[in-house]
Amino acid sequence: MDARGQQGRRPRADVQRNRVALLEAAQRHFLTYGVGTSLEAVAKEAGVGPGTLYRHFPTREALLAAVLQTRSEELVARQEEIARLGDADKALEQWLRALEEYFSAFSGLPEPLMAAARAQDPDNPLTLPCDTVITATEEYVRAAQRTGYVRESVKGYDLFLAAISVAWLKGAGAAEEESLDRVRALVAAGYRKRNTEA
Amino acid sequence: MDARGQQGRRPRADVQRNRVALLEAAQRHFLTYGVGTSLEAVAKEAGVGPGTLYRHFPTREALLAAVLQTRSEELVARQEEIARLGDADKALEQWLRALEEYFSAFSGLPEPLMAAARAQDPDNPLTLPCDTVITATEEYVRAAQRTGYVRESVKGYDLFLAAISVAWLKGAGAAEEESLDRVRALVAAGYRKRNTEA
DNA sequence: GATAAAACGGAGGCTACCTCCGCAGTGGTT
DNA sequence: AACCACTGCGGAGGTAGCCTCCGTTTTATC
């Protein structure tokens, strides 16, 4: 009598319950210990056995991608906000900043993202979000090039690489915010046409 | 009767023999599998037990630092070569390139180097080489600033970070040489005063 | 309730880390 | 050359994390 599409029985209640518990536990652990955290510990904290974790999320990347979903949505929301700016240069700058925050969501995140970006393996659940942000970056770059702010030789992928590098630096913990700001300025000075002397 | 310093018996021959075998095996494995390779496998290939490996090199970082010693010497040799250039701008550029190669010696090397650079733990055997190259970078930057090539706001540490980031990108394998070249150009355009339009 | 399908969970096999200590190899001495 | 003392060897073993397989439990439906 229920309105689900075609056939098959209604999905079991415990599946959804466990999935949510796993995602919450995973987020906590990724935040605290980075993406390399023990998956067994995640399962234990979610109150399920390791088998259940691996059935829901067959690889670490799958779990990561699922946890990252929320952040991806935040990123889309930011895009709308950025679109309201009008100024293509400011938009690109803000977008890169948003990207960087996204990549720094958990310590160690840049690594698997890079692996996904490179391998183009359609089975890797991180490939999709990766490609999405690269494409978006290319558009911001094109827009800023049309209005003459950005060098013609710069490609969107380059700035994706720059953003993920800065995120890596941040996650490697090796630099205080002050150093990071100077690196960001370095990148900005690198892609802009105008030369703000200093 | 032999000319060793003060007292104690002569060091045993097997110690040196094992040390060399370990270093060779470690270098091979680091080259092939990256810095995360199995240390037990290294010991086995060197023909010694795990205990011997850990006695010689109590941590992975210690082994890494010892293997890196050769490369550090190469880097010093390069410095002399660079000094002969005369041009401070070219010198800085070449130094950054040499740094990047040094950091890319093994896949995954940037991670422990960053950790050492940040923690300033005197017990970490990677801290010393790290500090050395940072100091050297600062000098190259100062020289290039004196001759007016480089922005005053740039710090040596920033360019160290930039170089290690590019090495990370290379090791993460995510970028072909073409993309890396564009990122390098981005960094160069970022730290230079002169604006080479494009 | 009864039934069948779906999901659970933990035991178990695997690999790697690192330590500890009985034993073997080595340098010095006679 | 034979002995001694000691330094260094190496592997067994405890720990932890990965991932799978399958007997058991939970669930939706009738």
Side-chain angles (χ1 to χ4, degrees):
Chain A
M1 223 46 70
D2 46 79
R4 80 202 112 90
Q6 300 299 56
Q7 83 285 359
R9 45 171 31 177
R10 189 206 301 171
R12 286 172 54 153
D14 47 356
V15 171
Q16 179 65 5
R17 191 161 24 92
N18 285 332
R19 185 186 160 86
V20 169
L22 279 167
L23 286 175
E24 283 175 355
Q27 175 153 63
R28 267 196 302 277
H29 278 246
F30 285 151
L31 279 171
T32 312
Y33 308 107
V35 301
T37 190
S38 158
L39 295 187
E40 297 212 325
V42 170
K44 184 175 288 184
E45 178 156 325
V48 305
T52 300
L53 187 152
Y54 285 102
R55 193 168 336 95
H56 280 263
F57 307 102
T59 64
R60 186 180 295 270
E61 283 71 34
L63 180 56
L64 201 46
V67 172
L68 226 49
Q69 183 56 35
T70 317
R71 313 266 174 171
S72 297
E73 284 158 17
E74 279 176 30
L75 204 57
V76 171
R78 282 251 218 161
Q79 274 189 279
E80 290 164 10
E81 191 183 316
I82 288 171
R84 255 180 266 122
L85 280 177
D87 181 359
D89 184 47
K90 274 262 184 300
L92 177 56
E93 189 179 336
Q94 297 230 7
W95 170 248
L96 289 180
R97 201 54 186 263
L99 259 195
E100 190 197 312
E101 277 173 36
Y102 176 69
F103 295 148
S104 323
F106 314 117
S107 151
L109 180 57
E111 228 95 4
L113 283 181
M114 259 318 235
R118 142 163 146 272
Q120 286 297 318
D121 174 4
D123 289 348
N124 186 329
L126 290 173
T127 302
L128 181 62
C130 239
D131 283 357
T132 306
V133 300
I134 290 172
T135 305
T137 308
E138 280 164 356
E139 275 165 31
Y140 282 106
V141 168
R142 262 199 297 277
Q145 281 171 335
R146 269 196 299 272
T147 48
Y149 286 121
V150 168
R151 293 171 204 266
E152 295 304 320
S153 59
V154 172
K155 296 240 189 309
Y157 187 60
D158 308 346
L159 297 189
F160 162 81
L161 292 179
I164 204 168
S165 294
V166 175
W168 177 76
L169 287 174
K170 204 197 279 187
E176 322 79 30
E177 201 53 39
E178 200 185 329
S179 301
L180 288 178
D181 268 338
R182 285 203 308 273
V183 172
R184 286 184 198 111
L186 200 73
V187 170
Y191 71 72
R192 288 218 180 91
K193 259 186 184 159
R194 236 102 68 83
N195 199 341
T196 44
E197 212 74 19
Chain B
M1 221 44 73
D2 46 75
R4 81 203 112 90
Q6 301 298 58
Q7 83 286 6
R9 43 173 30 176
R10 190 204 301 169
R12 287 172 54 156
D14 47 356
V15 171
Q16 180 66 4
R17 191 158 28 88
N18 285 334
R19 185 187 160 85
V20 169
L22 279 167
L23 286 175
E24 283 175 357
Q27 174 154 61
R28 268 195 302 278
H29 277 246
F30 285 151
L31 279 171
T32 313
Y33 308 107
V35 300
T37 190
S38 157
L39 296 187
E40 298 210 325
V42 170
K44 183 175 288 183
E45 179 156 323
V48 305
T52 300
L53 187 151
Y54 285 103
R55 193 167 336 95
H56 280 264
F57 307 102
T59 63
R60 185 181 295 270
E61 283 72 33
L63 179 57
L64 201 45
V67 172
L68 227 47
Q69 183 56 33
T70 316
R71 314 267 174 169
S72 296
E73 284 158 17
E74 279 176 32
L75 204 56
V76 171
R78 282 251 217 158
Q79 273 187 281
E80 290 163 13
E81 190 184 316
I82 288 172
R84 255 180 267 122
L85 279 176
D87 180 0
D89 185 47
K90 274 262 186 298
L92 176 58
E93 189 179 336
Q94 296 230 8
W95 170 249
L96 290 180
R97 202 52 186 262
L99 259 194
E100 188 196 311
E101 276 173 37
Y102 176 69
F103 295 149
S104 323
F106 314 117
S107 151
L109 179 57
E111 227 94 5
L113 284 181
M114 260 317 235
R118 143 165 146 269
Q120 287 297 321
D121 174 4
D123 289 348
N124 187 330
L126 291 173
T127 302
L128 181 63
C130 238
D131 283 358
T132 306
V133 299
I134 291 172
T135 304
T137 308
E138 279 163 356
E139 275 164 32
Y140 282 107
V141 168
R142 262 198 297 278
Q145 280 171 336
R146 270 196 299 273
T147 48
Y149 285 123
V150 168
R151 292 171 205 266
E152 296 304 321
S153 58
V154 172
K155 295 239 187 313
Y157 187 61
D158 308 347
L159 296 189
F160 163 80
L161 292 179
I164 204 168
S165 293
V166 174
W168 176 76
L169 286 174
K170 204 197 276 186
E176 323 78 30
E177 201 52 40
E178 199 186 328
S179 300
L180 288 179
D181 269 337
R182 286 203 309 273
V183 172
R184 285 183 199 111
L186 200 72
V187 170
Y191 70 72
R192 287 219 181 90
K193 260 186 184 159
R194 238 104 67 84
N195 198 340
T196 44
E197 212 73 21

